């Protein structure tokens, strides 16, 4: 190490005196690795949070509430957020009463899903993030809506089994609770079954929030893409006369 300090020009004629330069302390080579490992762990944690909730669009920019998983195969009365816990089999029970007139078929060209077009009081409305939507009343929570789009979940694998489609449906219900129902809404399952037509899964649920409840329906439909399409319907208890319209959708939703 002493050679590093020899001058580059010729040495003087005076007798050479060896100069001993004290060695500088060696840097701790482990410290950069420790810092790098900590930074990587932090980045991985942040990436995990964004991956888990990719596709979410919380109301008014508010942070989405933490999910509360329910046991797999839980009864319909067991509280759930819609992220896990839908029964493997729970037949849909139709609502009593007359339904709105079917005036045609909606063929969502973006999501490749079809379902009945209902007459008044339902009216077509542009309503993001849905490609196609029908609404009753003003745009306000709790919503009265029927809308179709691709499932807004990006961190699940391509579905291959009924359990995979059910998982997509559970997560989509969780997304719906965070974005289209009053803050703090929870859900109880009222139906969990295969689609009446085609491949996919259908979940019925009751959303409960301060001041009321809504009946909801979420169907995921295999449409030949990397992830399925979805149909979301929600009707609050202030419009109970429209609950039987959910019966119509259960029978009619399918791939275009």
């Amino acid at each position: 190490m002493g050679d590093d300090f020899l001058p580059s020009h010729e040495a003087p004629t005076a007798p050479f005196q060896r100069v001993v330069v004290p060695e500088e302390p060696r840097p701790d080579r482990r410290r950069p690795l420790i810092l790098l490992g900590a930074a990587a762990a932090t980045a991985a944690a942040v990436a995990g949070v964004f991956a888990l909730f990719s596709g979410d669009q919380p109301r008014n920019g508010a942070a989405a509430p933490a999910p509360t998983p329910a046991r797999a195969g839980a009864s319909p009365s067991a509280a759930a957020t819609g992220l896990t816990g839908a029964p493997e089999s729970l037949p849909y029970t139709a609502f009593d009463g007359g339904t709105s007139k079917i005036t045609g078929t909606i063929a969502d060209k973006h999501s490749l899903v079809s379902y009945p077009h209902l007459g008044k009081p339902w009216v077509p409305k542009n309503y993001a993030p849905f490609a196609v939507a029908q609404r009753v009343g003003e745009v306000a929570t709790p919503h009265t809506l029927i809308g179709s789009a691709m499932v807004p979940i990006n961190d699940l694998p391509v579905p291959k089994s009924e359990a995979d489609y059910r998982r997509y449906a559970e997560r989509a219900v969780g997304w719906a609770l965070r974005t289209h129902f009053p803050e703090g809404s929870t859900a109880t399952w009222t139906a969990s079954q295969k689609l009446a037509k085609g491949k996919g899964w259908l979940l019925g649920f009751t959303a409960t929030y301060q001041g009321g409840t809504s009946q909801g329906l979420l169907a995921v439909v295999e449409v030949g893409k990397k992830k399925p399409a979805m149909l979301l319907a929600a009707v609050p208890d202030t419009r109970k006369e429209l609950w039987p319209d959910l019966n119509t959708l259960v029978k009619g939703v399918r791939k275009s």
Side-chain angles (χ1 to χ4, degrees), residues 110-148:
H110 173 74
S111 307
L112 304 181
V113 64
S114 296
Y115 49 96
H117 183 285
L118 302 180
K120 291 182 179 181
W122 297 94
V123 293
K125 291 287 185 179
N126 292 326
Y127 181 54
F130 299 101
V132 180
Q134 302 173 76
R135 299 191 57 90
V136 176
E138 298 179 355
V139 178
T141 54
H143 295 272
T144 305
L145 69 89
I146 302 169
S148 55

PDB file of all heavy atoms in Angstrom, residues 110-148:
ATOM      1  N   HIS A 110     -67.051  -4.315 -25.461  1.00  0.00           N
ATOM      2  CA  HIS A 110     -65.733  -4.222 -24.829  1.00  0.00           C
ATOM      3  C   HIS A 110     -65.469  -5.426 -23.934  1.00  0.00           C
ATOM      4  O   HIS A 110     -64.405  -6.049 -24.000  1.00  0.00           O
ATOM      5  CB  HIS A 110     -65.633  -2.946 -24.005  1.00  0.00           C
ATOM      6  CG  HIS A 110     -64.372  -2.848 -23.197  1.00  0.00           C
ATOM      7  ND1 HIS A 110     -63.149  -2.569 -23.752  1.00  0.00           N
ATOM      8  CD2 HIS A 110     -64.143  -3.018 -21.859  1.00  0.00           C
ATOM      9  CE1 HIS A 110     -62.224  -2.563 -22.814  1.00  0.00           C
ATOM     10  NE2 HIS A 110     -62.803  -2.836 -21.651  1.00  0.00           N
ATOM     11  N   SER A 111     -66.444  -5.771 -23.092  1.00  0.00           N
ATOM     12  CA  SER A 111     -66.266  -6.856 -22.140  1.00  0.00           C
ATOM     13  C   SER A 111     -66.705  -8.206 -22.678  1.00  0.00           C
ATOM     14  O   SER A 111     -66.450  -9.239 -22.045  1.00  0.00           O
ATOM     15  CB  SER A 111     -67.040  -6.546 -20.843  1.00  0.00           C
ATOM     16  OG  SER A 111     -66.692  -5.271 -20.343  1.00  0.00           O
ATOM     17  N   LEU A 112     -67.401  -8.205 -23.819  1.00  0.00           N
ATOM     18  CA  LEU A 112     -67.855  -9.439 -24.476  1.00  0.00           C
ATOM     19  C   LEU A 112     -68.833 -10.233 -23.617  1.00  0.00           C
ATOM     20  O   LEU A 112     -68.818 -11.464 -23.605  1.00  0.00           O
ATOM     21  CB  LEU A 112     -66.665 -10.311 -24.869  1.00  0.00           C
ATOM     22  CG  LEU A 112     -65.613  -9.652 -25.774  1.00  0.00           C
ATOM     23  CD1 LEU A 112     -64.496 -10.643 -26.098  1.00  0.00           C
ATOM     24  CD2 LEU A 112     -66.238  -9.108 -27.034  1.00  0.00           C
ATOM     25  N   VAL A 113     -69.678  -9.522 -22.890  1.00  0.00           N
ATOM     26  CA  VAL A 113     -70.691 -10.157 -22.065  1.00  0.00           C
ATOM     27  C   VAL A 113     -72.061  -9.609 -22.458  1.00  0.00           C
ATOM     28  O   VAL A 113     -72.174  -8.444 -22.871  1.00  0.00           O
ATOM     29  CB  VAL A 113     -70.404  -9.914 -20.563  1.00  0.00           C
ATOM     30  CG1 VAL A 113     -70.487  -8.444 -20.208  1.00  0.00           C
ATOM     31  CG2 VAL A 113     -71.343 -10.723 -19.685  1.00  0.00           C
ATOM     32  N   SER A 114     -73.090 -10.453 -22.374  1.00  0.00           N
ATOM     33  CA  SER A 114     -74.455 -10.047 -22.718  1.00  0.00           C
ATOM     34  C   SER A 114     -75.379 -10.306 -21.541  1.00  0.00           C
ATOM     35  O   SER A 114     -75.158 -11.233 -20.751  1.00  0.00           O
ATOM     36  CB  SER A 114     -74.957 -10.819 -23.941  1.00  0.00           C
ATOM     37  OG  SER A 114     -74.192 -10.517 -25.087  1.00  0.00           O
ATOM     38  N   TYR A 115     -76.447  -9.500 -21.457  1.00  0.00           N
ATOM     39  CA  TYR A 115     -77.426  -9.649 -20.388  1.00  0.00           C
ATOM     40  C   TYR A 115     -78.679  -8.855 -20.770  1.00  0.00           C
ATOM     41  O   TYR A 115     -78.647  -8.022 -21.694  1.00  0.00           O
ATOM     42  CB  TYR A 115     -76.865  -9.186 -19.042  1.00  0.00           C
ATOM     43  CG  TYR A 115     -76.187  -7.823 -19.067  1.00  0.00           C
ATOM     44  CD1 TYR A 115     -76.857  -6.665 -18.709  1.00  0.00           C
ATOM     45  CD2 TYR A 115     -74.857  -7.717 -19.468  1.00  0.00           C
ATOM     46  CE1 TYR A 115     -76.231  -5.429 -18.730  1.00  0.00           C
ATOM     47  CE2 TYR A 115     -74.217  -6.489 -19.495  1.00  0.00           C
ATOM     48  CZ  TYR A 115     -74.912  -5.346 -19.121  1.00  0.00           C
ATOM     49  OH  TYR A 115     -74.281  -4.128 -19.157  1.00  0.00           O
ATOM     50  N   PRO A 116     -79.806  -9.087 -20.104  1.00  0.00           N
ATOM     51  CA  PRO A 116     -81.057  -8.425 -20.495  1.00  0.00           C
ATOM     52  C   PRO A 116     -80.996  -6.904 -20.346  1.00  0.00           C
ATOM     53  O   PRO A 116     -80.437  -6.378 -19.377  1.00  0.00           O
ATOM     54  CB  PRO A 116     -82.083  -9.032 -19.538  1.00  0.00           C
ATOM     55  CG  PRO A 116     -81.505 -10.353 -19.149  1.00  0.00           C
ATOM     56  CD  PRO A 116     -80.024 -10.121 -19.071  1.00  0.00           C
ATOM     57  N   HIS A 117     -81.589  -6.228 -21.314  1.00  0.00           N
ATOM     58  CA  HIS A 117     -81.782  -4.781 -21.242  1.00  0.00           C
ATOM     59  C   HIS A 117     -83.151  -4.546 -20.625  1.00  0.00           C
ATOM     60  O   HIS A 117     -84.173  -4.995 -21.147  1.00  0.00           O
ATOM     61  CB  HIS A 117     -81.716  -4.167 -22.643  1.00  0.00           C
ATOM     62  CG  HIS A 117     -81.831  -2.670 -22.640  1.00  0.00           C
ATOM     63  ND1 HIS A 117     -83.011  -2.009 -22.423  1.00  0.00           N
ATOM     64  CD2 HIS A 117     -80.895  -1.705 -22.853  1.00  0.00           C
ATOM     65  CE1 HIS A 117     -82.811  -0.710 -22.491  1.00  0.00           C
ATOM     66  NE2 HIS A 117     -81.527  -0.490 -22.743  1.00  0.00           N
ATOM     67  N   LEU A 118     -83.186  -3.856 -19.497  1.00  0.00           N
ATOM     68  CA  LEU A 118     -84.432  -3.640 -18.775  1.00  0.00           C
ATOM     69  C   LEU A 118     -85.039  -2.288 -19.125  1.00  0.00           C
ATOM     70  O   LEU A 118     -84.321  -1.306 -19.345  1.00  0.00           O
ATOM     71  CB  LEU A 118     -84.190  -3.736 -17.269  1.00  0.00           C
ATOM     72  CG  LEU A 118     -83.608  -5.061 -16.774  1.00  0.00           C
ATOM     73  CD1 LEU A 118     -83.417  -5.030 -15.256  1.00  0.00           C
ATOM     74  CD2 LEU A 118     -84.485  -6.234 -17.179  1.00  0.00           C
ATOM     75  N   GLY A 119     -86.354  -2.249 -19.154  1.00  0.00           N
ATOM     76  CA  GLY A 119     -87.064  -1.002 -19.443  1.00  0.00           C
ATOM     77  C   GLY A 119     -87.189  -0.123 -18.205  1.00  0.00           C
ATOM     78  O   GLY A 119     -86.595  -0.398 -17.156  1.00  0.00           O
ATOM     79  N   LYS A 120     -87.998   0.934 -18.326  1.00  0.00           N
ATOM     80  CA  LYS A 120     -88.161   1.896 -17.234  1.00  0.00           C
ATOM     81  C   LYS A 120     -88.608   1.184 -15.966  1.00  0.00           C
ATOM     82  O   LYS A 120     -89.370   0.222 -16.023  1.00  0.00           O
ATOM     83  CB  LYS A 120     -89.186   2.956 -17.637  1.00  0.00           C
ATOM     84  CG  LYS A 120     -88.687   3.872 -18.745  1.00  0.00           C
ATOM     85  CD  LYS A 120     -89.723   4.933 -19.075  1.00  0.00           C
ATOM     86  CE  LYS A 120     -89.200   5.867 -20.161  1.00  0.00           C
ATOM     87  NZ  LYS A 120     -90.187   6.924 -20.492  1.00  0.00           N
ATOM     88  N   PRO A 121     -88.059   1.655 -14.806  1.00  0.00           N
ATOM     89  CA  PRO A 121     -87.330   2.918 -14.597  1.00  0.00           C
ATOM     90  C   PRO A 121     -85.838   2.865 -14.910  1.00  0.00           C
ATOM     91  O   PRO A 121     -85.144   3.858 -14.693  1.00  0.00           O
ATOM     92  CB  PRO A 121     -87.549   3.175 -13.103  1.00  0.00           C
ATOM     93  CG  PRO A 121     -87.568   1.812 -12.505  1.00  0.00           C
ATOM     94  CD  PRO A 121     -88.306   0.965 -13.505  1.00  0.00           C
ATOM     95  N   TRP A 122     -85.339   1.730 -15.396  1.00  0.00           N
ATOM     96  CA  TRP A 122     -83.924   1.639 -15.743  1.00  0.00           C
ATOM     97  C   TRP A 122     -83.651   2.424 -17.029  1.00  0.00           C
ATOM     98  O   TRP A 122     -84.407   2.326 -17.992  1.00  0.00           O
ATOM     99  CB  TRP A 122     -83.512   0.188 -15.944  1.00  0.00           C
ATOM    100  CG  TRP A 122     -83.634  -0.661 -14.720  1.00  0.00           C
ATOM    101  CD1 TRP A 122     -84.699  -1.439 -14.365  1.00  0.00           C
ATOM    102  CD2 TRP A 122     -82.664  -0.805 -13.679  1.00  0.00           C
ATOM    103  NE1 TRP A 122     -84.457  -2.072 -13.169  1.00  0.00           N
ATOM    104  CE2 TRP A 122     -83.204  -1.699 -12.723  1.00  0.00           C
ATOM    105  CE3 TRP A 122     -81.394  -0.281 -13.466  1.00  0.00           C
ATOM    106  CZ2 TRP A 122     -82.514  -2.077 -11.570  1.00  0.00           C
ATOM    107  CZ3 TRP A 122     -80.697  -0.648 -12.318  1.00  0.00           C
ATOM    108  CH2 TRP A 122     -81.263  -1.532 -11.386  1.00  0.00           C
ATOM    109  N   VAL A 123     -82.570   3.191 -17.018  1.00  0.00           N
ATOM    110  CA  VAL A 123     -82.194   3.962 -18.212  1.00  0.00           C
ATOM    111  C   VAL A 123     -80.692   3.786 -18.458  1.00  0.00           C
ATOM    112  O   VAL A 123     -79.905   3.683 -17.514  1.00  0.00           O
ATOM    113  CB  VAL A 123     -82.525   5.465 -18.053  1.00  0.00           C
ATOM    114  CG1 VAL A 123     -84.024   5.674 -17.991  1.00  0.00           C
ATOM    115  CG2 VAL A 123     -81.849   6.047 -16.816  1.00  0.00           C
ATOM    116  N   PRO A 124     -80.269   3.731 -19.736  1.00  0.00           N
ATOM    117  CA  PRO A 124     -78.842   3.612 -20.055  1.00  0.00           C
ATOM    118  C   PRO A 124     -78.076   4.872 -19.632  1.00  0.00           C
ATOM    119  O   PRO A 124     -78.564   5.987 -19.816  1.00  0.00           O
ATOM    120  CB  PRO A 124     -78.826   3.435 -21.573  1.00  0.00           C
ATOM    121  CG  PRO A 124     -80.220   3.032 -21.933  1.00  0.00           C
ATOM    122  CD  PRO A 124     -81.111   3.682 -20.939  1.00  0.00           C
ATOM    123  N   LYS A 125     -76.907   4.672 -19.067  1.00  0.00           N
ATOM    124  CA  LYS A 125     -76.077   5.789 -18.632  1.00  0.00           C
ATOM    125  C   LYS A 125     -74.603   5.466 -18.857  1.00  0.00           C
ATOM    126  O   LYS A 125     -74.178   4.317 -18.705  1.00  0.00           O
ATOM    127  CB  LYS A 125     -76.280   6.082 -17.137  1.00  0.00           C
ATOM    128  CG  LYS A 125     -77.639   6.651 -16.774  1.00  0.00           C
ATOM    129  CD  LYS A 125     -77.769   8.098 -17.216  1.00  0.00           C
ATOM    130  CE  LYS A 125     -79.089   8.690 -16.735  1.00  0.00           C
ATOM    131  NZ  LYS A 125     -79.226  10.119 -17.130  1.00  0.00           N
ATOM    132  N   ASN A 126     -73.816   6.479 -19.243  1.00  0.00           N
ATOM    133  CA  ASN A 126     -72.364   6.335 -19.254  1.00  0.00           C
ATOM    134  C   ASN A 126     -71.874   6.465 -17.816  1.00  0.00           C
ATOM    135  O   ASN A 126     -72.142   7.465 -17.144  1.00  0.00           O
ATOM    136  CB  ASN A 126     -71.710   7.420 -20.112  1.00  0.00           C
ATOM    137  CG  ASN A 126     -72.025   7.253 -21.582  1.00  0.00           C
ATOM    138  OD1 ASN A 126     -72.153   6.134 -22.072  1.00  0.00           O
ATOM    139  ND2 ASN A 126     -72.151   8.352 -22.297  1.00  0.00           N
ATOM    140  N   TYR A 127     -71.191   5.452 -17.347  1.00  0.00           N
ATOM    141  CA  TYR A 127     -70.808   5.448 -15.945  1.00  0.00           C
ATOM    142  C   TYR A 127     -69.516   4.656 -15.771  1.00  0.00           C
ATOM    143  O   TYR A 127     -69.524   3.438 -15.699  1.00  0.00           O
ATOM    144  CB  TYR A 127     -71.932   4.851 -15.095  1.00  0.00           C
ATOM    145  CG  TYR A 127     -71.649   4.829 -13.615  1.00  0.00           C
ATOM    146  CD1 TYR A 127     -71.285   5.984 -12.936  1.00  0.00           C
ATOM    147  CD2 TYR A 127     -71.732   3.651 -12.892  1.00  0.00           C
ATOM    148  CE1 TYR A 127     -71.023   5.971 -11.586  1.00  0.00           C
ATOM    149  CE2 TYR A 127     -71.471   3.614 -11.533  1.00  0.00           C
ATOM    150  CZ  TYR A 127     -71.117   4.788 -10.894  1.00  0.00           C
ATOM    151  OH  TYR A 127     -70.846   4.765  -9.544  1.00  0.00           O
ATOM    152  N   ALA A 128     -68.383   5.370 -15.749  1.00  0.00           N
ATOM    153  CA  ALA A 128     -67.082   4.718 -15.537  1.00  0.00           C
ATOM    154  C   ALA A 128     -67.031   4.151 -14.115  1.00  0.00           C
ATOM    155  O   ALA A 128     -67.623   4.722 -13.194  1.00  0.00           O
ATOM    156  CB  ALA A 128     -65.968   5.748 -15.739  1.00  0.00           C
ATOM    157  N   PRO A 129     -66.356   3.012 -13.953  1.00  0.00           N
ATOM    158  CA  PRO A 129     -65.485   2.316 -14.901  1.00  0.00           C
ATOM    159  C   PRO A 129     -66.198   1.268 -15.750  1.00  0.00           C
ATOM    160  O   PRO A 129     -65.541   0.434 -16.373  1.00  0.00           O
ATOM    161  CB  PRO A 129     -64.488   1.634 -13.965  1.00  0.00           C
ATOM    162  CG  PRO A 129     -65.320   1.257 -12.786  1.00  0.00           C
ATOM    163  CD  PRO A 129     -66.284   2.393 -12.612  1.00  0.00           C
ATOM    164  N   PHE A 130     -67.525   1.289 -15.790  1.00  0.00           N
ATOM    165  CA  PHE A 130     -68.262   0.290 -16.544  1.00  0.00           C
ATOM    166  C   PHE A 130     -68.309   0.662 -18.017  1.00  0.00           C
ATOM    167  O   PHE A 130     -68.479   1.837 -18.376  1.00  0.00           O
ATOM    168  CB  PHE A 130     -69.681   0.149 -15.993  1.00  0.00           C
ATOM    169  CG  PHE A 130     -69.720  -0.297 -14.561  1.00  0.00           C
ATOM    170  CD1 PHE A 130     -69.946   0.605 -13.543  1.00  0.00           C
ATOM    171  CD2 PHE A 130     -69.496  -1.623 -14.230  1.00  0.00           C
ATOM    172  CE1 PHE A 130     -69.960   0.207 -12.220  1.00  0.00           C
ATOM    173  CE2 PHE A 130     -69.508  -2.041 -12.915  1.00  0.00           C
ATOM    174  CZ  PHE A 130     -69.741  -1.119 -11.897  1.00  0.00           C
ATOM    175  N   ALA A 131     -68.178  -0.360 -18.879  1.00  0.00           N
ATOM    176  CA  ALA A 131     -68.275  -0.133 -20.310  1.00  0.00           C
ATOM    177  C   ALA A 131     -69.711   0.176 -20.701  1.00  0.00           C
ATOM    178  O   ALA A 131     -69.980   0.995 -21.580  1.00  0.00           O
ATOM    179  CB  ALA A 131     -67.765  -1.357 -21.072  1.00  0.00           C
ATOM    180  N   VAL A 132     -70.663  -0.492 -20.045  1.00  0.00           N
ATOM    181  CA  VAL A 132     -72.091  -0.279 -20.277  1.00  0.00           C
ATOM    182  C   VAL A 132     -72.777  -0.260 -18.917  1.00  0.00           C
ATOM    183  O   VAL A 132     -72.402  -1.032 -18.021  1.00  0.00           O
ATOM    184  CB  VAL A 132     -72.702  -1.400 -21.152  1.00  0.00           C
ATOM    185  CG1 VAL A 132     -74.187  -1.148 -21.384  1.00  0.00           C
ATOM    186  CG2 VAL A 132     -71.968  -1.513 -22.480  1.00  0.00           C
ATOM    187  N   ALA A 133     -73.776   0.599 -18.755  1.00  0.00           N
ATOM    188  CA  ALA A 133     -74.462   0.665 -17.464  1.00  0.00           C
ATOM    189  C   ALA A 133     -75.909   1.085 -17.645  1.00  0.00           C
ATOM    190  O   ALA A 133     -76.265   1.804 -18.579  1.00  0.00           O
ATOM    191  CB  ALA A 133     -73.749   1.638 -16.529  1.00  0.00           C
ATOM    192  N   GLN A 134     -76.755   0.596 -16.738  1.00  0.00           N
ATOM    193  CA  GLN A 134     -78.137   1.047 -16.602  1.00  0.00           C
ATOM    194  C   GLN A 134     -78.303   1.523 -15.163  1.00  0.00           C
ATOM    195  O   GLN A 134     -77.768   0.913 -14.240  1.00  0.00           O
ATOM    196  CB  GLN A 134     -79.119  -0.098 -16.875  1.00  0.00           C
ATOM    197  CG  GLN A 134     -78.985  -0.732 -18.249  1.00  0.00           C
ATOM    198  CD  GLN A 134     -79.861  -1.971 -18.378  1.00  0.00           C
ATOM    199  OE1 GLN A 134     -81.073  -1.888 -18.532  1.00  0.00           O
ATOM    200  NE2 GLN A 134     -79.236  -3.136 -18.300  1.00  0.00           N
ATOM    201  N   ARG A 135     -79.076   2.604 -14.983  1.00  0.00           N
ATOM    202  CA  ARG A 135     -79.210   3.188 -13.653  1.00  0.00           C
ATOM    203  C   ARG A 135     -80.663   3.562 -13.386  1.00  0.00           C
ATOM    204  O   ARG A 135     -81.468   3.734 -14.296  1.00  0.00           O
ATOM    205  CB  ARG A 135     -78.349   4.440 -13.511  1.00  0.00           C
ATOM    206  CG  ARG A 135     -76.860   4.245 -13.692  1.00  0.00           C
ATOM    207  CD  ARG A 135     -76.123   5.500 -13.247  1.00  0.00           C
ATOM    208  NE  ARG A 135     -76.461   5.794 -11.865  1.00  0.00           N
ATOM    209  CZ  ARG A 135     -75.775   5.315 -10.818  1.00  0.00           C
ATOM    210  NH1 ARG A 135     -74.707   4.579 -11.013  1.00  0.00           N
ATOM    211  NH2 ARG A 135     -76.146   5.616  -9.601  1.00  0.00           N
ATOM    212  N   VAL A 136     -80.944   3.740 -12.100  1.00  0.00           N
ATOM    213  CA  VAL A 136     -82.213   4.315 -11.658  1.00  0.00           C
ATOM    214  C   VAL A 136     -81.860   5.425 -10.683  1.00  0.00           C
ATOM    215  O   VAL A 136     -81.112   5.214  -9.726  1.00  0.00           O
ATOM    216  CB  VAL A 136     -83.112   3.274 -10.968  1.00  0.00           C
ATOM    217  CG1 VAL A 136     -84.381   3.949 -10.437  1.00  0.00           C
ATOM    218  CG2 VAL A 136     -83.479   2.146 -11.923  1.00  0.00           C
ATOM    219  N   GLY A 137     -82.387   6.618 -10.923  1.00  0.00           N
ATOM    220  CA  GLY A 137     -82.126   7.735 -10.023  1.00  0.00           C
ATOM    221  C   GLY A 137     -80.780   8.383 -10.250  1.00  0.00           C
ATOM    222  O   GLY A 137     -80.103   8.149 -11.255  1.00  0.00           O
ATOM    223  N   GLU A 138     -80.380   9.196  -9.277  1.00  0.00           N
ATOM    224  CA  GLU A 138     -79.154   9.964  -9.385  1.00  0.00           C
ATOM    225  C   GLU A 138     -77.932   9.095  -9.101  1.00  0.00           C
ATOM    226  O   GLU A 138     -78.032   8.018  -8.511  1.00  0.00           O
ATOM    227  CB  GLU A 138     -79.181  11.139  -8.399  1.00  0.00           C
ATOM    228  CG  GLU A 138     -80.301  12.130  -8.660  1.00  0.00           C
ATOM    229  CD  GLU A 138     -80.305  13.260  -7.649  1.00  0.00           C
ATOM    230  OE1 GLU A 138     -79.483  13.204  -6.700  1.00  0.00           O
ATOM    231  OE2 GLU A 138     -81.111  14.195  -7.799  1.00  0.00           O
ATOM    232  N   VAL A 139     -76.771   9.602  -9.546  1.00  0.00           N
ATOM    233  CA  VAL A 139     -75.513   8.923  -9.274  1.00  0.00           C
ATOM    234  C   VAL A 139     -75.097   9.275  -7.851  1.00  0.00           C
ATOM    235  O   VAL A 139     -74.539  10.332  -7.592  1.00  0.00           O
ATOM    236  CB  VAL A 139     -74.424   9.341 -10.271  1.00  0.00           C
ATOM    237  CG1 VAL A 139     -73.103   8.656  -9.941  1.00  0.00           C
ATOM    238  CG2 VAL A 139     -74.845   9.020 -11.692  1.00  0.00           C
ATOM    239  N   ALA A 140     -75.412   8.389  -6.927  1.00  0.00           N
ATOM    240  CA  ALA A 140     -75.104   8.624  -5.519  1.00  0.00           C
ATOM    241  C   ALA A 140     -75.147   7.291  -4.786  1.00  0.00           C
ATOM    242  O   ALA A 140     -75.862   6.375  -5.181  1.00  0.00           O
ATOM    243  CB  ALA A 140     -76.104   9.599  -4.904  1.00  0.00           C
ATOM    244  N   THR A 141     -74.372   7.198  -3.734  1.00  0.00           N
ATOM    245  CA  THR A 141     -74.406   5.981  -2.921  1.00  0.00           C
ATOM    246  C   THR A 141     -75.557   6.066  -1.925  1.00  0.00           C
ATOM    247  O   THR A 141     -75.825   7.153  -1.391  1.00  0.00           O
ATOM    248  CB  THR A 141     -73.088   5.793  -2.146  1.00  0.00           C
ATOM    249  OG1 THR A 141     -72.812   6.964  -1.407  1.00  0.00           O
ATOM    250  CG2 THR A 141     -71.946   5.491  -3.091  1.00  0.00           C
ATOM    251  N   PRO A 142     -76.245   4.945  -1.670  1.00  0.00           N
ATOM    252  CA  PRO A 142     -76.063   3.646  -2.299  1.00  0.00           C
ATOM    253  C   PRO A 142     -76.616   3.643  -3.724  1.00  0.00           C
ATOM    254  O   PRO A 142     -77.681   4.179  -3.991  1.00  0.00           O
ATOM    255  CB  PRO A 142     -76.853   2.699  -1.393  1.00  0.00           C
ATOM    256  CG  PRO A 142     -77.920   3.557  -0.800  1.00  0.00           C
ATOM    257  CD  PRO A 142     -77.297   4.906  -0.626  1.00  0.00           C
ATOM    258  N   HIS A 143     -75.884   3.049  -4.656  1.00  0.00           N
ATOM    259  CA  HIS A 143     -76.235   3.070  -6.064  1.00  0.00           C
ATOM    260  C   HIS A 143     -77.361   2.094  -6.390  1.00  0.00           C
ATOM    261  O   HIS A 143     -77.519   1.057  -5.751  1.00  0.00           O
ATOM    262  CB  HIS A 143     -75.015   2.697  -6.917  1.00  0.00           C
ATOM    263  CG  HIS A 143     -73.899   3.698  -6.816  1.00  0.00           C
ATOM    264  ND1 HIS A 143     -73.819   4.801  -7.621  1.00  0.00           N
ATOM    265  CD2 HIS A 143     -72.814   3.748  -5.990  1.00  0.00           C
ATOM    266  CE1 HIS A 143     -72.733   5.493  -7.310  1.00  0.00           C
ATOM    267  NE2 HIS A 143     -72.113   4.871  -6.319  1.00  0.00           N
ATOM    268  N   THR A 144     -78.122   2.449  -7.414  1.00  0.00           N
ATOM    269  CA  THR A 144     -79.053   1.516  -8.051  1.00  0.00           C
ATOM    270  C   THR A 144     -78.557   1.372  -9.477  1.00  0.00           C
ATOM    271  O   THR A 144     -78.765   2.252 -10.318  1.00  0.00           O
ATOM    272  CB  THR A 144     -80.495   2.067  -8.036  1.00  0.00           C
ATOM    273  OG1 THR A 144     -80.865   2.381  -6.684  1.00  0.00           O
ATOM    274  CG2 THR A 144     -81.461   1.033  -8.588  1.00  0.00           C
ATOM    275  N   LEU A 145     -77.865   0.284  -9.755  1.00  0.00           N
ATOM    276  CA  LEU A 145     -77.166   0.184 -11.034  1.00  0.00           C
ATOM    277  C   LEU A 145     -77.035  -1.251 -11.505  1.00  0.00           C
ATOM    278  O   LEU A 145     -77.100  -2.202 -10.724  1.00  0.00           O
ATOM    279  CB  LEU A 145     -75.778   0.818 -10.953  1.00  0.00           C
ATOM    280  CG  LEU A 145     -74.702   0.126 -10.111  1.00  0.00           C
ATOM    281  CD1 LEU A 145     -73.909  -0.892 -10.946  1.00  0.00           C
ATOM    282  CD2 LEU A 145     -73.728   1.131  -9.536  1.00  0.00           C
ATOM    283  N   ILE A 146     -76.831  -1.366 -12.804  1.00  0.00           N
ATOM    284  CA  ILE A 146     -76.426  -2.605 -13.461  1.00  0.00           C
ATOM    285  C   ILE A 146     -75.296  -2.211 -14.402  1.00  0.00           C
ATOM    286  O   ILE A 146     -75.478  -1.339 -15.256  1.00  0.00           O
ATOM    287  CB  ILE A 146     -77.569  -3.238 -14.270  1.00  0.00           C
ATOM    288  CG1 ILE A 146     -78.780  -3.522 -13.373  1.00  0.00           C
ATOM    289  CG2 ILE A 146     -77.108  -4.515 -14.962  1.00  0.00           C
ATOM    290  CD1 ILE A 146     -80.035  -3.896 -14.156  1.00  0.00           C
ATOM    291  N   GLY A 147     -74.138  -2.806 -14.252  1.00  0.00           N
ATOM    292  CA  GLY A 147     -73.008  -2.408 -15.090  1.00  0.00           C
ATOM    293  C   GLY A 147     -72.104  -3.584 -15.413  1.00  0.00           C
ATOM    294  O   GLY A 147     -71.993  -4.530 -14.635  1.00  0.00           O
ATOM    295  N   SER A 148     -71.471  -3.513 -16.579  1.00  0.00           N
ATOM    296  CA  SER A 148     -70.562  -4.574 -17.005  1.00  0.00           C
ATOM    297  C   SER A 148     -69.206  -3.985 -17.365  1.00  0.00           C
ATOM    298  O   SER A 148     -69.097  -2.857 -17.853  1.00  0.00           O
ATOM    299  CB  SER A 148     -71.139  -5.346 -18.199  1.00  0.00           C
ATOM    300  OG  SER A 148     -71.473  -4.470 -19.266  1.00  0.00           O
TER     301      SER A 148
END
